[in-house]
Amino acid sequence: MSDERATHCTVKARDRRAIAVEISGDPDGVPVFLLHGMPGSRVGPRPRGSVLYRLGIQLICYDRPGYGGSDRHEQRTVASAVEDVEDIAADLELDRFSIVGRSGGGPHALACAARLPDRVTSAAVLVGVAPANAPDLDWYAGMTDANVREYSTVGADWLKLVERVRLQADRIRRDPVSLVKSLQQQMTDPDLRVVDDVAIQRLLADTYAEALRPGPYGWIDDLYALRSDWGFDLADVHQPVLLWHGAEDNFTPVSHARWLARKIPNAEIRVETETAHFGAVEVLPEILHWLMTSALVGPGRPRG
């Protein structure tokens, strides 16, 4: 699931922040942005270059602000991702593209679809979270105790959250595998099956190490953004959207995907049995194929 041929570059955002970007796959392929989870980074699990070439995809990953090689953007919202994606697309001379967000990256992908209707041709959300103020949704139901504690502290005690995440990030920087081991203690059986693979463990550890290398603020800012107003309306997402979720996910319960499916006009939902949160790693090639075949095409179709 790694790609040693990936190309790294740094893009300057319009406010002069540095954004770390990694590009893999077919340089002449259809461009697809992959937005990482929380905590996460541009080096997260993705299909091998040979798979991306076979699919005809140029995969673009970047570190959200405060993670890895990207400068922090204080008080960012979920919708703040739109300008960063626009700036990367401008630097790479991309007119139109598809987008997929995994876990905490899901809302950011939807923001891009809502705010860039003429540029985003299709979108997918893998094990994504619903808005914190979602009506008729028990937001915490079925979620791990650790996630409930983390999310609920955002509004209750901001300083306590910052200190808790800072200590956790320091521990993970010293021993990235510690986060993998901590997550394994909370996982359902389908996730344990995925993460028991030594190669996946190494990829996850590398992802977390890079994400938290500059400190805890990418993670802290993600938590704040996800639990605050997202800054866009889900009803403005009119592209084809696939919501994929594992039925046994206890990090982001499947009820979140079902709620999103009721609010997004052209959403298709797939709930996989005997699968959970980290099944999103295995299903990504299938999702990339869906994005290509479902894209809204026209005179300005995606180009590499």
Side-chain angles (χ1 to χ4, degrees):
M1 295 288 289
S2 62
D3 187 356
E4 65 280 3
R5 292 173 293 181
T7 301
H8 175 75
C9 65
T10 300
V11 171
K12 281 294 182 183
R14 62 194 69 184
D15 61 0
R16 310 308 297 166
R17 284 180 297 107
I19 307 172
V21 180
E22 198 137 320
I23 306 164
S24 54
D26 183 354
D28 298 317
V30 174
V32 179
F33 280 81
L34 170 60
L35 308 190
H36 62 73
M38 175 189 72
S41 69
R42 70 189 185 283
V43 301
R46 59 179 179 263
R48 293 182 181 277
S50 58
V51 174
L52 295 172
Y53 266 91
R54 189 163 63 249
L55 289 169
I57 282 178
Q58 177 188 36
L59 193 66
I60 304 150
C61 307
Y62 76 96
D63 294 333
R64 276 196 299 282
Y67 287 119
S70 292
D71 294 337
R72 187 185 183 194
H73 179 184
E74 293 189 53
Q75 297 182 324
R76 60 180 166 91
T77 66
V78 168
S80 298
V82 177
E83 291 188 352
D84 286 352
V85 168
E86 277 190 299
D87 291 342
I88 296 167
D91 190 83
L92 300 178
E93 299 183 342
L94 304 175
D95 293 330
R96 303 182 79 202
F97 45 86
S98 292
I99 195 159
V100 53
R102 189 160 50 199
S103 190
H108 299 84
L110 292 173
C112 293
R115 292 285 192 88
L116 303 174
D118 297 326
R119 303 192 70 182
V120 174
T121 59
S122 57
V125 175
L126 312 184
V127 297
V129 66
N133 61 351
D136 306 316
L137 174 67
D138 187 344
W139 208 85
Y140 295 113
M143 195 178 285
T144 65
D145 291 343
N147 272 20
V148 171
R149 184 168 58 251
E150 198 167 76
Y151 281 122
S152 60
T153 309
V154 173
D157 192 336
W158 178 247
L159 293 178
K160 181 178 180 180
L161 173 74
V162 170
E163 181 61 12
R164 177 187 292 161
V165 175
R166 185 188 67 78
L167 291 173
Q168 194 171 358
D170 286 345
R171 183 168 63 252
I172 294 164
R173 280 201 302 275
R174 293 192 299 271
D175 178 17
V177 178
S178 66
L179 180 53
V180 179
K181 291 178 179 177
S182 174
L183 292 171
Q184 284 177 306
Q185 295 174 12
Q186 307 166 55
M187 289 178 184
T188 56
D189 287 342
D191 271 346
L192 287 171
R193 176 186 59 79
V194 175
V195 180
D196 277 348
D197 184 286
V198 174
I200 294 294
Q201 290 183 22
R202 184 174 65 252
L203 282 170
L204 292 174
D206 290 346
T207 301
Y208 300 144
E210 175 60 14
L212 301 172
R213 177 173 54 81
Y217 286 99
W219 194 354
I220 289 167
D221 294 341
D222 255 0
L223 283 165
Y224 181 81
L226 290 173
R227 287 292 293 168
S228 303
D229 187 285
W230 286 1
F232 70 98
D233 192 336
L234 290 169
D236 291 335
V237 180
H238 293 286
Q239 301 92 330
V241 174
L242 176 61
L243 303 169
W244 183 95
H245 222 99
E248 297 188 44
D249 190 343
N250 62 341
F251 292 99
T252 305
V254 69
S255 55
H256 287 238
R258 292 192 171 113
W259 187 92
L260 289 168
R262 295 194 296 269
K263 303 298 179 180
I264 299 171
N266 296 308
E268 170 188 343
I269 184 169
R270 294 184 190 174
V271 178
E272 298 287 343
T273 59
E274 300 181 8
T275 308
H277 198 75
F278 287 87
V281 173
E282 296 182 319
V283 78
L284 186 54
E286 177 186 332
I287 301 302
L288 293 174
H289 181 263
W290 183 92
L291 286 167
M292 287 189 62
T293 58
S294 302
L296 295 172
V297 296
R301 69 167 297 175
R303 63 182 175 86

